[in-house]
C-alpha cells in the first residue's frame, strides 16, 4: 500500500474483557478515532461488516466442523481484517487512532478453530503494525460472570459443542496465549480488568496513549 499509514494503537483482550464497551465510551468522550465494527457512526460499509461478523458468530460458529470448515471461517474473517486495515489507512493524522483487536484476535480464533498456519496469516502479518498494543487482561472466571455466567457466550468463545464454564475457561486461556504470542514483537501495555469500570478502563487506555505519544 502506497499511502502513508498514520500511527495507531490496538486495544486487545480475550472475550468479555471490555474492549468494545471501552472503545464505544472513548468514541463518544475523547478526541480520537476509533476503528471497530462494533461502535461508531453507522455507515453502509460498517453495517456490511457488522452483518458479516454476526453471521460468522450465529451461522458459521454453530456449525463449524460440520457444515463449515476452519478454512471457510478464515476466508470470511479476512474481509473483516482487510476492512480494518483499509480504515486505518484512511484515518486522520492529527489525533489518536485506536483499533479494536486488529487481526491478532481474529487470527488466534481461526487457529483455535483448526486453521493452523493458514497462508492468509502470512499476508495479514505484512499489514501495518501499531505503535503499541494496550492489552486488557481479565481472568476467565471474571469474564464468565460478566457474560451472565454463560448466557452471553457463543460457540466461538469456548471449546467443544457444550457451552459451560470449563470449556470457556480453557478456550480463553488458549486464546490469550495465542494473542500474546502474536504480539510478542510489539510494545505492549497490560491493563488489569478484574475490577475496572468502563470509565476507568477508557481513562487508563488514553493515559497509555498520551504517555506513548509524549
Amino acid at each position: 500500500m502506497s499511502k502513508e499509514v498514520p500511527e495507531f494503537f490496538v486495544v486487545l483482550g480475550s472475550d468479555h474483557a471490555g474492549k468494545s464497551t471501552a472503545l464505544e465510551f472513548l468514541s463518544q468522550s475523547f478526541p480520537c478515532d476509533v476503528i471497530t465494527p462494533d461502535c461508531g457512526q453507522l455507515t453502509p460499509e460498517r453495517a456490511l461488516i457488522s452483518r458479516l461478523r454476526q453471521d460468522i458468530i450465529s451461522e458459521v460458529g454453530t456449525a463449524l466442523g460440520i457444515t463449515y470448515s476452519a478454512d471457510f471461517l478464515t476466508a470470511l474473517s479476512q474481509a473483516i481484517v482487510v476492512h480494518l486495515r483499509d480504515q486505518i489507512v484512511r484515518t486522520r493524522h492529527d489525533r489518536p487512532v485506536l483499533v479494536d483487536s486488529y487481526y491478532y484476535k481474529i487470527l488466534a480464533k481461526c487457529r483455535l478453530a483448526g486453521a493452523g498456519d493458514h497462508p492468509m496469516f502470512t499476508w495479514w502479518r505484512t499489514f501495518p503494525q501499531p505503535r503499541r498494543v494496550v492489552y486488557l487482561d481479565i481472568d476467565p472466571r471474571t469474564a464468565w460472570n460478566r457474560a451472565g455466567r454463560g448466557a452471553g457466550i457463543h460457540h466461538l468463545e469456548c471449546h467443544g459443542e457444550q457451552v459451560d464454564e470449563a470449556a470457556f475457561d480453557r478456550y480463553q486461556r488458549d486464546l490469550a496465549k495465542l494473542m500474546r504470542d502474536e504480539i510478542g514483537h510489539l510494545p505492549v501495555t497490560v491493563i488489569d480488568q478484574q475490577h475496572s469500570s468502563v470509565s476507568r478502563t477508557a481513562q487508563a487506555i488514553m493515559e497509555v496513549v498520551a504517555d506513548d505519544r509524549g
Side-chain angles (χ1 to χ4, degrees), residues 172-191:
Q172 295 307 314
R173 294 185 189 281
D174 290 343
L175 176 65
K177 182 182 186 307
L178 287 176
M179 290 191 299
R180 295 299 291 267
D181 289 346
E182 194 64 37
I183 61 173
H185 64 292
L186 294 167
V188 178
T189 298
V190 177
I191 297 177

Side-chain angles (χ1 to χ4, degrees), residues 3-154:
K3 185 175 180 179
E4 182 183 355
V5 179
E7 288 186 341
F8 65 99
F9 297 79
V10 167
V11 180
L12 185 63
S14 53
D15 297 320
H16 304 281
K19 293 182 295 73
S20 298
T21 306
L23 287 169
E24 175 71 26
F25 184 92
L26 287 168
S27 71
Q28 298 176 1
S29 307
F30 288 84
C32 61
D33 289 319
V34 173
I35 298 176
T36 170
D38 296 323
C39 70
Q41 182 180 4
L42 186 64
T43 62
E45 61 179 327
R46 188 181 295 278
L48 171 65
I49 295 299
S50 181
R51 288 197 306 272
L52 174 58
R53 182 177 176 276
Q54 289 305 314
D55 286 344
I56 289 173
I57 292 171
S58 63
E59 300 294 332
V60 180
T62 56
L64 190 63
I66 303 171
T67 305
Y68 303 108
S69 68
D71 285 347
F72 185 77
L73 170 67
T74 302
L76 288 183
S77 299
Q78 175 154 281
I80 299 174
V81 171
V82 173
H83 179 65
L84 288 172
R85 182 205 63 181
D86 292 349
Q87 283 188 291
I88 291 169
V89 173
R90 292 199 303 265
T91 52
R92 300 161 51 170
H93 290 242
D94 59 342
R95 60 185 190 174
V97 178
L98 303 173
V99 186
D100 186 353
S101 302
Y102 201 25
Y103 67 81
Y104 309 120
K105 187 172 184 178
I106 294 174
L107 189 156
K109 282 183 173 284
C110 288
R111 289 186 65 188
L112 286 174
D117 192 17
H118 198 285
M120 285 185 186
F121 301 158
T122 301
W123 185 42
W124 298 359
R125 290 173 178 132
T126 68
F127 288 2
Q129 298 296 301
R131 179 181 178 107
R132 177 173 294 275
V133 173
V134 182
Y135 189 90
L136 306 186
D137 189 33
I138 189 168
D139 181 78
R141 173 172 290 184
T142 303
W144 173 263
N145 290 333
R146 279 190 179 184
R149 299 188 62 80
I153 290 169
H154 56 76

